[in-house]
Each structure stands twice: as structure tokens, then as C-alpha cells.
Amino acid sequence: MLTAVPGARLAAAMARKPVLPAADALRAMADAQDCLMLRVTPNAGADTLTIADGIVQVRVTATPEAGKANAAVLALLAKALGVPKSALSIVRGETGRDKRVRLPPR
């Protein structure tokens, strides 16, 4: 039997936290300049960050207008790496789906 849950608690209970790969696995994908190549999909159904077939795939619910998707990508990646968002920067691909992001030194 289901019990009634107030609206705010119900929304929080239904919100999904993204499952993120380990920071070490992401850093292992970085090149010699501490840059990580990403394949980004905006307007996704949920925020996810996965490693599949040697590619870091990022799906964000944000729309690709006014830099919203880029900000969401950096926020998700920062969370996975355990670093502040300001420590990451997009080196290449501001307006494209393929992005190169500089990571902070270890």
C-alpha cells in the first residue's frame, strides 16, 4: 500500500542522482596535457556521464542555448572528479558536440 507523500518530498524521492564513473577512470582517459575528450548530448532525459568503448559520453538535460549545456557538462564532470567547476575549462568545442576539457593537475 502506498502512503501519501507531500509534493516536495515526492519530487525529491523521484529525482534520480546520476551514477558517475570513478574519478580515476576519467583521469585515465585524459591525454598528456590533462585534457579529456567528451561526446555531449544536450536535451537528454537525464544527466549521465559514462565511459563506453573508450569514449566519455555526457548527456545533460540542459538546452544548448546561451551556454547552459556547457555549464551543465562542466558541473557534472566536476562532480564526478571531485573538483570545483572553476577548475575545469572547455578548450575546444564550445558550440559542438565533441568537446575537449582541460582538467586540473593531480
Side-chain angles (χ1 to χ4, degrees):
M1 174 181 229
L2 294 174
T3 59
V5 178
R9 288 184 50 208
L10 177 62
M14 293 180 66
R16 294 182 183 170
K17 292 184 181 178
V19 176
L20 303 173
D24 292 336
L26 287 170
R27 285 203 175 265
M29 302 284 299
D31 61 16
Q33 291 82 31
D34 280 332
C35 289
L36 189 62
M37 293 298 298
L38 308 175
R39 179 69 174 174
V40 176
T41 303
N43 287 329
D47 290 341
T48 62
L49 194 145
T50 58
I51 299 173
D53 300 325
I55 300 169
V56 179
Q57 298 174 341
V58 183
R59 296 173 51 91
V60 293
T61 57
T63 58
E65 56 188 31
K68 291 177 188 176
N70 286 339
V73 166
L74 292 179
L76 191 61
L77 187 58
K79 185 174 183 178
L81 291 169
V83 298
K85 291 181 282 191
S86 61
L88 303 174
S89 62
I90 297 176
V91 177
R92 187 181 66 192
E94 283 273 333
T95 60
R97 292 182 63 177
D98 295 318
K99 300 187 184 305
R100 185 171 187 207
V101 177
R102 177 151 316 183
L103 306 178
R106 295 178 195 212

